[in-house]
Amino acid sequence: MNTVVLGLQWGDEGKGKAIDYLAGSFSVVVRFQGGHNAGHTVYFQGKKVILHVLPSGIFYPDCAAVIAHGVVVQPLQLVDEINNARALGLSLQNLALSEHAPLILPFHQELDVVFEDSRYQRIGTTRRGIGPAYEDVVGRRALFVGDLLHEDVFRAKIAPLVEYYQRLFLAHGHPGVNLNEGIEQYLQAGDFLRTFVCNTAQLLQQAFSDGKDILFEGAQGSLLDINLGTYPFVTSSNTTIAGVFSGTGLSTKAVKRVIGVSKAYTTRVGEGPFPSELVGENGRLLREWGHEYGSTTGRPRRVGWLDLVALKYAVQINGVDSLFVTKLDVLDELEEIPVAVAYKGHGGPAEMFPPHADVLARVKPVFRSLPGWREKIGAIECFSDLPVQLRDYLRFIEDFVGVRVSYLSLGGERRQTIEISA
Ligand code: GDP
Ligand code: IMO
Ligand code: MG
């Protein structure tokens, strides 16, 4: 059954783990937005592997892995990632890269850093050039993977862009950046990637009409969506359900089920409001228990309690059918587990989530404390063996957000997952 897996919080919910668990019964796994700002962790043969652009289904040799045109691609990074995957013994024969995927160029990354270090716009980005690359798409001056395959086309198209960026860097007080640096390496990377490049929209349409099961792998989280997230502290793509359609070329008919991934608590990397944030010693403890350090940048993640107001918003905007709840084991030692159930201070209904950052920064969350289970759950394999307090915790979430929990994750490994039948 064609399924979309989306993060429902600020990213790092455990989408890689969820995709890896589910992918075995799919013929195709496809990334449709974002870029190498993503860091999806999967355990393969007991080894921790972090994927940035390669879909998390690559560990199943019969599953085609597709990087569709909604993804922004940094060719040198992708070459490295492919080489790393091959070093793990994966053939990647089934990898397809869209010829229409926009390129992240060297000066995009430079500009991301310039903006981050300036006083205009400190978002706490991953500094990978994601925002500037998508800006060029919207500004109708982007270069694409397909351009990289023809040296003359690439050189002809990049020359005016270099001039444009020269003026931009000058205006920002950075006249000395060498904008031609990296062009030769990009062309070499293009040669390396050539065998994977194709029209993925056509490939996916064919897979769909052949009745193959397709798994769509979201990156980032719904609250980082450029239109529906906590603007301006967001990423530059549609991380919500809309990104599936614009990023693949498939229609709503190609999606039968939407699974939302949420941690049993909340984390956020980078700047921006976080109503249920936990600071001080308790925050430090939760960060240590959950090993909450960024998969892409290594930054310590901000941590906080589960925010059901925010989660319900994410469920609604995505049309989520059921939840995949991760990292429940991280809460094992707690006597009481607070969850945010309402907001005060934004002048609206208590259960309304106001996404824009200046309003969200004003809200005061109202917490409800639920009993903890105080038991190690990582080795439990069956739903009925779970502590009653944990099952009650899940029921409380289900009742609040209005959809079922269908998968539980009790550890990072594939086997530490429990599927709950309807
Ligand atoms: P993603 O970006 O959504 O794929 O998530 P990340 O991989 O960035 O971060 C999730 C982290 O939590 C990774 O280190 C995973 O190995 C880990 N993880 C996933 N599920 C669980 C779980 O149920 N329990 C524990 N303890 N760790 C988990
Ligand atoms: P996965 O797929 C968590 C955050 C950055 C920053 C904001 C904008 O692993 O869940 P960007 O570099 O995209 O312009 O940064 O978005 N961010 C993520 N946070 N997980 C991610 O990906 C993220 N990708 C971007 O920290 O706040
Ligand atoms: Mg991540």
Side-chain angles (χ1 to χ4, degrees):
M1 192 196 310
N2 290 355
T3 299
V4 180
V5 173
L6 298 170
L8 297 184
Q9 297 166 307
W10 280 289
D12 303 327
E13 297 88 351
K15 297 173 294 293
K17 145 97 199 227
I19 293 281
D20 175 63
Y21 177 79
L22 296 166
S25 50
F26 286 83
S27 302
V28 183
V29 179
V30 50
R31 272 283 306 272
F32 54 88
Q33 48 70 231
H36 64 308
N37 48 351
H40 295 181
T41 312
V42 177
Y43 281 86
F44 175 63
Q45 297 172 344
K47 223 174 160 173
K48 182 175 178 166
V49 183
I50 298 176
L51 298 169
H52 298 285
V53 177
L54 290 178
S56 303
I58 56 166
F59 302 97
Y60 299 91
D62 295 333
C63 189
V66 178
I67 301 169
H69 64 254
V71 176
V72 283
V73 172
Q74 208 281 26
L76 308 184
Q77 180 280 333
L78 182 54
V79 169
D80 279 350
E81 200 169 340
I82 290 171
N83 283 331
N84 291 341
R86 283 185 171 155
L88 293 170
L90 305 169
S91 79
L92 296 187
Q93 265 173 346
N94 283 334
L95 178 66
L97 168 64
S98 172
E99 61 193 344
H100 298 128
L103 291 175
I104 300 177
L105 294 160
F107 39 81
H108 289 141
Q109 192 155 348
E110 289 272 355
L111 195 64
D112 199 354
V113 172
V114 166
F115 277 144
E116 278 296 297
D117 291 340
S118 74
R119 65 198 156 83
Y120 316 113
Q121 196 183 4
R122 197 173 152 71
I123 303 296
T125 74
T126 58
R127 298 175 176 239
R128 298 292 191 272
I130 307 296
Y134 277 119
E135 272 184 57
D136 275 0
V137 176
V138 177
R140 294 165 295 188
R141 43 177 187 265
L143 270 66
F144 296 89
V145 165
D147 296 326
L148 205 52
L149 306 187
H150 309 284
E151 183 172 346
D152 47 343
V153 174
F154 185 68
R155 288 193 193 279
K157 283 192 171 180
I158 203 166
L161 202 60
V162 163
E163 253 179 59
Y164 170 83
Y165 272 87
Q166 242 146 14
R167 284 199 290 274
L168 212 57
F169 279 105
L170 195 63
H172 286 288
H174 292 264
V177 181
N178 177 4
L179 296 174
N180 287 305
E181 203 172 288
I183 288 182
E184 305 309 318
Q185 291 100 306
Y186 265 53
L187 285 165
Q188 281 166 21
D191 263 342
F192 178 100
L193 295 172
R194 192 177 298 275
T195 57
F196 303 112
V197 178
C198 65
N199 182 331
T200 56
Q202 226 164 45
L203 182 153
L204 291 167
Q205 282 292 352
Q206 192 61 49
F208 175 50
S209 49
D210 291 347
K212 293 190 174 153
D213 284 326
I214 306 172
L215 183 59
F216 300 87
E217 175 175 357
Q220 291 79 52
S222 301
L223 304 180
L224 289 171
D225 183 280
I226 183 71
N227 298 115
L228 296 164
T230 54
Y231 194 92
F233 302 101
V234 291
T235 189
S236 299
S237 66
N238 283 122
T239 59
T240 49
I241 189 77
V244 171
F245 311 113
S246 60
T248 63
L250 289 171
S251 78
T252 52
K253 291 195 170 64
V255 170
K256 290 283 171 277
R257 176 171 68 154
V258 182
I259 296 178
V261 188
S262 170
K263 277 178 185 163
Y265 50 97
T266 310
T267 62
R268 174 165 206 169
V269 206
E271 310 292 317
F274 181 173
S276 66
E277 185 166 11
L278 191 54
V279 290
E281 179 57 16
N282 288 342
R284 194 193 62 78
L285 260 183
L286 190 55
R287 180 176 309 111
E288 294 314 313
W289 287 340
H291 303 290
E292 295 296 354
Y293 295 89
S295 311
T296 296
T297 58
R299 289 177 290 176
R301 294 176 182 145
R302 297 158 67 192
V303 299
W305 301 120
L306 185 62
D307 183 338
L308 290 175
V309 179
L311 191 65
K312 188 170 183 174
Y313 170 75
V315 164
Q316 286 172 342
I317 59 177
N318 290 303
V320 166
D321 294 302
S322 71
L323 299 178
F324 196 124
V325 180
T326 62
K327 305 197 89 158
L328 282 152
D329 54 301
V330 173
L331 306 182
D332 278 356
E333 303 207 8
L334 292 171
E335 211 157 311
E336 300 244 296
I337 310 174
V339 292
V341 292
Y343 286 168
K344 285 183 181 164
H346 60 11
E351 284 189 16
M352 186 193 82
F353 181 78
H356 274 231
D358 32 8
V359 185
L360 190 63
R362 289 203 302 268
V363 307
K364 295 270 172 283
V366 177
F367 288 102
R368 162 98 182 252
S369 260
L370 302 172
W373 41 93
R374 309 214 69 194
E375 173 183 335
K376 288 216 178 308
I377 59 170
I380 297 178
E381 291 176 358
C382 173
F383 184 72
S384 54
D385 291 340
L386 289 168
V388 65
Q389 296 90 336
L390 191 153
R391 286 185 276 150
D392 287 347
Y393 187 69
L394 297 174
R395 194 162 311 119
F396 191 85
I397 297 172
E398 289 178 329
D399 288 346
F400 195 98
V401 303
V403 295
R404 305 180 38 235
V405 174
S406 53
Y407 299 92
L408 304 180
S409 176
L410 312 176
E413 304 261 357
R414 192 186 288 172
R415 64 184 154 73
Q416 292 175 295
T417 314
I418 296 179
E419 185 167 348
I420 310 168
S421 42

